Amino acid sequence: MGKWTRRAFITTGVVAGGGLAIGVALRPGHRTPELAPLVSSDDETLVNVWVKLDSKNVATVIVPHSEMGQGAQTALAQMLAEEMDADWDLVQFEEAPPVPEYANYLLGYGIIGEVPKVLVPTFDGLMIKVAQSMAMQITGGSLSIRSTGQYGMRIAGAAAREMLVEAAAQTWQVPAAEIQTEASQLIHAASNRRAPYAEFAAVAAQMQPPSSPSLKSADEFRIIGHHVQRRDIPSKVDGSAQFAMDVHVPGMVYATVQRAPVFGGGVDKLDASAAKQVKGVIDVVTLPGSNKEDPFSGRQNIGETVAVVAEGYWPAKQGLNALAVEWNHYGRDSMGSDEIFAQFDRDITAGVERENDRLQGDVSMALENAAQVVEAEYRVPYLAHACMEPMNATAHVQNGQCELWIGCQNPLGFRDAVAEALGMEPGNVKVHNHFMGGGFGRKANPDYAIQAALLAQKVQRPVQLIWSREEDIRQDYYRPAVRSRFRAAIDANGEVASWENTYVDKHEPAEAPLIPYAVGSQDIGYVASPTNIPFGAWRSVDHTQHGFFTESFIDELAAAKEVDPYEFRANLLRDKPRHLAVLNKAAKEAGWEQPLAPGRGRGIALQESFGTLVAEVVEVTVTDGDVKVDRVVAAVDPGLAISPDGLKAQIESGIIYGLSAAMFGEVTIENGAVAQSNFHDYQILRMQDSPVIETHVINSGGPVGGAGEPGTPAIAPALANAVFDATGSRVRQLPLKNYDLKFRIEESDEVA
Amino acid sequence: MIRLTVNGKEQELDVDPQTPLLWVLREQLRLTGTKFGCGMAQCGACTVHVNGTAQRSCVMPLAAVQDQQVTTIEGLAPSDDELHPLQQAWIDEQVPQCGYCQSGQLMSAASLLASNANPSDEEIDAAMQGNICRCGMYGRIKKAIKNVAGVGYFDPARGEV
C-alpha cells in the first residue's frame, strides 16, 4: 500500500526474510523486493528507502549519488539526519545499489518539472526516446543536494522521525505531541521516559506513513549548515580508500588499450606478432567502434580499439607499444584546430538556421541609433577532463552474468550500456561503484566499462582494464572548442541599448549564454557547426565557455564607456538583488577600491549556474610576460549552504579547475587527432601557480543551489579582465599561456 | 629475484626487473594506496619514499630499488593506531576531495618535512610542484603542511582556506 504526500510517495511493505520495511519513493510502484538486499542482517530494520536503523541505533543513510570528491554523500546524510533528529555520530551512509528504485530521473522530472538535459550525457539516447519514464541514477548537474537532498533526504528523515514518534506514543500510551526527539532518542519528559530510536524501529515500520511529514525551518537546523567532517576523508589519507583500480578479483588479468587516434577510425592492418612475444602477454583483441546519436551529445563517432591483455599492466603496456597498427582514418585525418575555428567563423557568418536563446526588443533599431557600437569575438579550445585517476574498469563475465567494478557518475546507465554491449538483460549486470579519482563529467561516459566487459567476455577471465594517461587525454569526450561573436550598441545616453551574440555548439544548460544585465534589446542565438570531435559534459558544461564570453564582453563595454567594470555591472543589476549582493560582496571583500601597484590588475566576473550565484575577483601580477594569479575572492549565494566547509571546498576546487584551464588548458587537433598526450603537454595548474582563495558565503534563503560546478565559470573571465586591467591587453582567446603579454601591451588582440 | 624492504618488511620478487616499482607495489604486493596517474613522473600520484626520500615509483625500475628501503602511504603512519602528523593535519584541514592524489601529496610533504622542519612558502611550493591535484586543494595542502611544520597558520589577512 502506499500514499502520496505533498512531494513524495511513501510505501510500506514486508522485506523478504521477515523484516519489516517502509519505503519512501518518489513514484508509485512496488519496490519491496529490491529493498531486501539492503537489510543485510536480522537486526536491521529498513525504516525507509533512504535510511535503515540497526539495533545499535545506528542510522545508515542510503545515498543515490556517487562520490567523486564533491562530498555530496556527507551533505545528503546531513540533510536526512537533520530532519530525523539523529545523533550525527550515529549516522553512517552507503551508496545505493544501481537499481532503478534509486534512480533520480523521476525525482527531477516529477518535482522540478523538467530534467536538465545536462544529466543525460551517457544515458542511451535511444532508450530515452523509447521510455520517457526510464530511470537514471546519475551524479551531475550539481543536482545532488538541490534535488535528492531537498526532496528526498529531508522528507525521508522527517517521515522516519514522525513514524518513530508515533510508535513510541502508541507503546507508551501518551500523546505523540508530548514526545520530543533529540540525538536519535525519543523523550517523554512528563513520564521521564527516554528510549533510543532503535527500540521502536520495528513498530514504526509497520505503521502507515505520514501523508505530509513536516519539515524544519532553517532556524531549527543543528546539522544542516553546520560544519561536519567528511566521512570519506580518513580513508583518503592512509591509502585505504577503495577506487575501482584497487579491486583485486581472483584470477584477474590486466589490459590496456589504444583506440583509433582519429575519431571514428578503424583498424586496417594489425600485426600482433611482436606484442605476443612480450613476456606476460596473453591476448591481443580488437574491439568494435560505435557511432551513435543521442539527444545530449549529438553524434559520437567512436573508433575501433586494439587491446592487449597480460599478466600485469606493465607487460600489457609493453605489448601495446609493440603492436604494429595501421589505422584507417576514413578521410577524417585532414582536420585541425585552425580549420575547425575557420569553419565556426564561416557558420556564424552564414547564420544558417540560427536558433535563438533569447530575442527581445529591437536590436537592429538599437544598432542604427547607436552612438557607439562595440564588437568582439572570443574563442575557447577543446579541453580534456584529465581526472587524476585514468579510466579503468574491472569486469568478470561468466554464466551469462557480468560483474563490473567501476568508479562512475552514472552506475545505472553504465549497467544498461554494458548489458547492451554484451547482449544481456540489464538485470544480469551487477555494478560495484567505487570512489572516483575525479569525475568532472568524464566518468558519465561508459566507453571504458564497455571495453572492460568485452575483454572479459573474450578472454573468459576477470579483466582489469587500465588506460594510459595518453589514452585518457586523446580519447576524452571534450569540452567543445567554441567561437562566440558579440555586438552591442551604446546609445546617446551612454546606456547599453542592445546585446547581440552568436556562437556555435549549443548544449546544456540552456540558460548558460543568457545575461542577467538590464539590456533592453537582446538577440542571443547559435548555429550548428558539427565536427568529428566527441563532446562531453565538462565541469559546469556550457557555463564554462559562456561565462568567459559574456563576462569578458560586458567588461569590454565598461571599458568602451570608460566606466569602472564593477560599477558598470552593479548599475545593470539594479533590479537583481541576489546578483547584486554577490557582486558587492566580492568587490568589498577584495578591496576593489584600493589602488594596485603598476603591473598588477584586478578583474571581476559574475555567473549564475546550477542555481548558485557566484562573483569572483581576481588579482594578478604581470611581469615579463608571465601572469601570476595572486588572489581570488569569491562570493557565493547557494540559497543555503548545507555543509559550509564542503561548499567552500567545492568553490575552491571549481576555481582551481577553471583557472587551470584558463591559464594552460588546450587540446588541439592535428590531422584529425588530439596532439596532446600527458601532463607535460596538457599542463595543469600546480601549487606554485595556485592563488590564495577566499570564499564568502551568503545564505540568502533562496532555493538551494548546486556546489560542484558553480565555482568554475566566473574564474576565466575574472582572470582575463584582471589581465586587461594590468596590461591593457584584452584576452579573447584561451588559454592565457598562448599570449606573450610583455609584447602584447601596445598591440592588437590577436594571439601571437 | 629482486630483494627489497617495503614498509619494514623484506620482500623477494620474481618480476621483470625493468617493471616500474609502482606496478610491483600495486599488483604483486597489493599495496594499492600508491596511485597510477601519468606513468612519466609528471603528476606525483605514485610518490613513495626510497630510503626516506620522495621518488616517483612509476618511472623507477624495480632493479633500481634492489636492497633499498621503500615506504608507501600504507607505511607512513608510525603504527596501526597512530597517524603521521601530516595525515592528521590532512583530516583537520579536510584536504582530500576525490583523494586520488593524496597518497602522493602526503609522501612528498613527509619527505620535505623530514629534511626541512620549517620550510618557507617557496620551499613548500618547490617540494610539492611535482604533485598535481585536479580537485585543486593546493591551499589546504599548504596550510596542512604549515600546521605540522609549526610555522603557524596562514595569515588570516591573506585569506582563510
Side-chain angles (χ1 to χ4, degrees):
Chain A
M1 75 179 104
K3 185 186 259 187
W4 274 100
T5 70
R6 279 179 303 157
R7 301 176 186 134
F9 188 79
I10 303 181
T11 58
T12 59
V14 180
V15 173
L20 289 158
I22 294 176
V24 174
L26 288 119
R27 63 186 170 116
H30 296 288
R31 54 194 51 74
T32 312
E34 281 77 19
L35 301 181
L38 294 172
V39 183
S40 52
S41 64
D42 289 344
D43 63 352
E44 288 177 336
T45 304
L46 200 69
V47 173
N48 57 46
V49 169
W50 283 282
V51 65
K52 58 180 179 179
L53 260 181
D54 72 10
S55 60
K56 296 188 180 68
N57 211 25
V58 171
T60 302
V61 183
I62 297 155
V63 183
H65 288 286
S66 18
E67 184 58 59
M68 52 187 160
Q70 82 280 31
Q73 294 186 348
T74 299
L76 288 168
Q78 275 181 271
M79 297 176 92
L80 190 141
E82 176 68 66
E83 295 291 353
M84 193 175 167
D85 268 347
D87 181 342
W88 181 246
D89 291 338
L90 295 176
V91 173
Q92 299 176 343
F93 51 85
E94 62 185 54
E95 188 171 324
V99 293
E101 283 63 33
Y102 284 97
N104 52 17
Y105 177 74
L106 278 155
L107 176 66
Y109 193 79
I111 306 295
I112 295 174
E114 185 189 358
V115 165
K117 281 200 209 124
V118 68
L119 290 184
V120 189
T122 56
F123 203 69
D124 188 298
L126 192 69
M127 289 163 84
I128 283 208
K129 282 178 198 149
V130 170
Q132 263 198 327
S133 60
M134 204 58 204
M136 290 178 67
Q137 182 185 31
I138 181 163
T139 303
S142 298
L143 261 186
S144 307
I145 304 299
R146 57 202 179 110
S147 159
T148 307
Q150 282 291 79
Y151 300 108
M153 291 294 165
R154 290 186 61 193
I155 288 171
R161 193 193 74 88
E162 286 188 17
M163 283 187 279
L164 289 162
V165 166
E166 194 55 44
Q170 284 179 17
T171 308
W172 288 342
Q173 295 288 301
V174 299
E178 290 180 7
I179 295 179
Q180 292 175 315
T181 51
E182 183 189 302
S184 299
Q185 301 274 325
L186 292 147
I187 300 156
H188 186 247
S191 62
N192 201 23
R193 270 181 289 201
R194 190 180 185 98
Y197 280 174
E199 207 171 302
F200 296 99
V203 179
Q206 295 178 66
M207 293 172 34
Q208 183 78 357
S211 59
S212 56
S214 57
L215 301 180
K216 292 181 181 179
S217 59
D219 57 356
E220 296 173 280
F221 291 158
R222 52 181 189 84
I223 300 176
I224 288 178
H226 291 78
H227 177 62
V228 301
Q229 297 221 327
R230 275 176 56 167
R231 295 288 175 81
D232 55 333
I233 284 182
S235 74
K236 291 175 174 177
V237 303
D238 64 6
S240 65
Q242 288 291 295
F243 298 86
M245 212 194 291
D246 301 334
V247 161
H248 186 269
V249 181
M252 183 173 91
V253 293
Y254 298 81
T256 194
V257 292
Q258 187 189 3
R259 194 186 279 152
V262 173
F263 299 105
V267 178
D268 221 13
K269 280 186 195 151
L270 174 65
D271 179 357
S273 52
K276 287 182 174 171
Q277 298 295 311
V278 173
K279 187 165 177 279
V281 167
I282 296 165
D283 204 353
V284 176
V285 182
T286 301
L287 299 173
S290 68
N291 191 348
K292 286 185 185 173
E293 181 89 27
D294 85 56
F296 177 68
S297 307
R299 183 156 292 281
Q300 302 275 24
N301 197 358
I302 303 304
E304 288 184 338
T305 299
V306 292
V308 176
V309 183
E311 299 293 345
Y313 173 81
W314 186 247
K317 186 71 168 62
Q318 299 310 107
L320 193 73
N321 294 347
L323 283 181
V325 193
E326 283 180 37
W327 300 102
N328 188 338
H329 306 310
Y330 299 114
R332 299 191 189 97
D333 56 337
S334 59
M335 195 68 134
S337 286
D338 290 347
E339 289 79 16
I340 289 170
F341 280 113
Q343 171 192 312
F344 293 164
D345 185 37
R346 286 195 302 276
D347 288 341
I348 288 174
T349 302
V352 177
E353 292 181 20
R354 183 177 183 275
E355 300 273 346
N356 267 106
D357 294 310
R358 179 183 279 169
L359 184 61
Q360 67 181 45
D362 190 335
V363 167
S364 305
M365 181 79 81
L367 285 165
E368 256 174 53
N369 298 332
Q372 189 182 1
V373 174
V374 182
E375 294 179 89
E377 186 158 329
Y378 306 87
R379 64 192 220 188
V380 294
Y382 292 104
L383 292 174
H385 297 80
C387 305
M388 282 308 297
E389 175 198 27
M391 302 304 110
N392 69 93
T394 303
H396 191 194
V397 179
Q398 59 176 353
N399 306 325
Q401 310 247 328
C402 174
E403 257 189 290
L404 183 71
W405 293 264
I406 192 89
C408 76
Q409 292 174 246
N410 182 8
L412 199 54
F414 274 49
R415 182 195 73 158
D416 294 349
V418 165
E420 191 193 351
L422 294 174
M424 287 179 183
E425 289 300 314
N428 288 331
V429 177
K430 186 173 185 192
V431 177
H432 306 274
N433 205 22
H434 293 70
F435 287 138
M436 279 170 274
F440 312 120
R442 174 63 180 92
K443 289 174 183 164
N445 285 300
D447 56 327
Y448 57 105
I450 292 170
Q451 289 178 338
L454 292 173
L455 288 170
Q457 189 178 44
K458 171 72 169 44
V459 302
Q460 282 299 297
R461 287 175 73 174
V463 173
Q464 180 163 98
L465 167 67
I466 301 171
W467 282 23
S468 66
R469 175 59 62 188
E470 289 75 13
E471 189 72 357
D472 176 67
I473 298 288
R474 289 177 169 162
Q475 297 294 340
D476 203 343
Y477 293 75
Y478 299 89
R479 198 291 301 273
V482 182
R483 196 164 185 139
S484 187
R485 189 176 292 171
F486 289 83
R487 186 160 55 162
I490 297 173
D491 68 18
N493 299 324
E495 296 290 327
V496 182
S498 72
W499 175 281
E500 187 182 53
N501 175 208
T502 305
Y503 61 92
V504 294
D505 211 15
K506 177 156 187 84
H507 293 281
E508 294 286 327
E511 70 274 14
L514 304 183
I515 51 170
Y517 302 109
V519 176
S521 296
Q522 298 185 29
D523 178 359
I524 300 168
Y526 57 93
V527 293
S529 189
T531 70
N532 191 40
I533 313 303
F535 161 83
W538 189 95
R539 198 172 193 166
S540 83
V541 206
D542 276 8
H543 282 288
T544 79
Q545 63 262 29
H546 290 296
F548 171 64
F549 300 149
T550 58
E551 282 297 295
S552 292
F553 191 58
I554 199 78
D555 220 70
E556 297 217 35
L557 296 182
K561 286 186 61 188
E562 298 180 354
V563 176
D564 176 274
Y566 156 54
E567 299 288 346
F568 184 73
R569 285 177 176 80
N571 180 48
L572 292 173
L573 292 170
R574 50 194 180 264
D575 300 326
K576 295 274 176 74
R578 287 183 70 195
H579 290 77
L580 195 55
V582 291
L583 188 79
N584 286 339
K585 182 72 176 170
K588 176 173 174 283
E589 298 293 342
W592 185 265
E593 306 300 331
Q594 290 165 22
L596 292 170
R600 301 198 68 219
R602 202 181 265 133
I604 193 165
L606 164 78
Q607 183 83 353
E608 176 181 2
S609 61
F610 307 97
T612 294
L613 295 91
V614 179
E616 288 164 13
V617 173
V618 168
E619 280 177 20
V620 297
T621 302
V622 182
T623 44
D624 295 335
D626 278 336
V627 176
K628 172 91 170 78
V629 182
D630 303 312
R631 180 182 182 222
V632 177
V633 178
V636 185
D637 174 6
L640 171 69
I642 303 299
S643 175
D645 186 63
L647 174 71
K648 284 186 178 183
Q650 282 309 299
I651 297 300
E652 292 161 22
S653 176
I655 285 171
I656 296 292
Y657 200 77
L659 193 59
S660 186
M663 292 182 72
F664 307 118
E666 184 175 39
V667 162
T668 55
I669 307 300
E670 290 174 16
N671 302 320
V674 169
Q676 290 70 27
S677 63
N678 206 315
F679 293 128
H680 66 289
D681 55 8
Y682 190 71
Q683 221 181 319
I684 303 293
L685 192 83
R686 292 167 188 268
M687 186 181 280
Q688 75 267 26
D689 299 318
S690 183
V692 171
I693 300 173
E694 302 161 40
T695 304
H696 302 273
V697 178
I698 299 173
N699 287 313
S700 67
V704 174
E709 295 167 281
T712 302
I715 191 67
L719 170 66
N721 296 339
V723 169
F724 175 75
D725 186 46
T727 66
S729 283
R730 189 56 77 174
V731 174
R732 297 200 180 100
Q733 302 179 13
L734 296 178
L736 199 61
K737 68 166 182 172
N738 292 341
Y739 285 77
D740 183 351
L741 288 158
K742 188 169 64 170
F743 297 105
R744 299 301 319 152
I745 294 173
E746 302 301 327
E747 296 177 22
S748 72
D749 52 84
E750 287 299 307
V751 173
Chain B
M1 284 288 182
I2 305 262
R3 277 204 199 94
L4 71 161
T5 306
V6 180
N7 299 333
K9 196 171 159 193
E10 283 204 25
Q11 301 284 353
E12 204 173 86
L13 293 154
D14 182 16
V15 180
D16 173 3
Q18 289 312 304
T19 307
L21 174 62
L22 168 67
W23 301 108
V24 177
L25 292 172
R26 290 186 55 84
E27 295 176 5
Q28 270 73 38
L29 302 179
R30 308 253 179 100
L31 293 169
T32 54
T34 305
K35 300 303 185 197
F36 168 54
C38 70
M40 58 186 293
Q42 291 288 312
C43 78
C46 67
T47 306
V48 298
H49 293 176
V50 178
N51 304 326
T53 304
Q55 301 285 348
R56 314 297 179 210
S57 65
C58 74
V59 293
M60 176 155 289
L62 183 61
V65 290
Q66 168 127 16
D67 300 326
Q68 310 296 303
Q69 300 277 338
V70 173
T71 308
T72 70
I73 187 68
E74 291 90 347
L76 182 64
S79 70
D80 281 350
D81 46 7
E82 201 181 348
L83 293 175
H84 186 284
L86 281 167
Q87 291 173 312
Q88 186 59 53
W90 250 238
I91 294 172
D92 294 343
E93 295 301 334
Q94 296 282 287
V95 170
Q97 288 200 3
C98 87
Y100 194 80
C101 74
Q102 297 299 346
S103 299
Q105 303 277 2
L106 280 158
M107 297 310 281
S108 288
S111 176
L112 165 69
L113 293 186
S115 64
N116 180 355
N118 278 313
S120 65
D121 272 27
E122 291 69 29
E123 287 168 333
I124 294 173
D125 283 351
M128 302 303 291
Q129 64 87 26
N131 290 80
I132 291 173
C133 174
R134 280 299 267 157
C135 301
M137 293 294 97
Y138 299 118
R140 290 180 186 233
I141 291 169
K142 200 170 197 175
K143 188 175 175 192
I145 293 172
K146 294 181 80 151
N147 289 354
V148 175
V151 295
Y153 290 80
F154 268 166
D155 176 358
R158 290 186 66 198
E160 60 167 290
V161 175

